[in-house]
Amino acid sequence: MIDPYRILGVDLTAADETIRAAYLAAIRESPPERDRERFESVRTAYEAICNHRRRLAHALFDCSLPTIDDLLSAVSSDFVPQPPTERRLLRLLGAK
């Protein structure tokens, strides 16, 4: 699962009111009629951290492995993969 704090755009120390405001703003930006996948992602993220007890449970028991989306979003939105250099390809293929 992608980090719910990242989906909602809130800090790890955010209060209930801040998380709820971020959730409502995200829902307004992507209603289910327009972007069903984003809506479900936002709803799931909010349900995971909507109150103190759930945030604590998420911090203690969420042991899901990061997905490729997690890794790419953690790098940054400016990430552009670069093709390998000829030297690196030759080294990988065992040529000297």
Side-chain angles (χ1 to χ4, degrees), residues 46-94:
Y46 177 71
E47 288 175 356
I49 61 171
C50 64
N51 59 37
H52 181 69
R53 175 177 266 171
R54 289 197 180 205
R55 284 193 298 277
L56 184 59
H58 174 75
L60 291 174
F61 302 115
D62 182 41
C63 57
S64 59
L65 295 174
T67 64
I68 290 293
D69 291 334
D70 292 333
L71 299 174
L72 290 177
S73 65
V75 171
S76 83
S77 61
D78 300 336
F79 175 72
V80 178
Q82 299 294 320
T85 62
E86 183 179 344
R87 180 176 171 218
R88 180 157 173 80
L89 283 175
L90 290 173
R91 201 172 84 220
L92 287 172
L93 294 173

Side-chain angles (χ1 to χ4, degrees), residues 4-28 42-56 58:
Y5 295 97
R6 184 177 297 256
I7 291 173
L8 294 175
V10 295
D11 190 40
L12 291 172
T13 59
D16 292 347
E17 299 83 27
T18 307
I19 293 172
R20 180 162 171 79
Y23 167 70
L24 294 175
I27 292 297
R28 272 187 243 109
V42 169
R43 186 182 58 78
T44 304
Y46 177 71
E47 288 175 356
I49 61 171
C50 64
N51 59 37
H52 181 69
R53 175 177 266 171
R54 289 197 180 205
R55 284 193 298 277
L56 184 59
H58 174 75

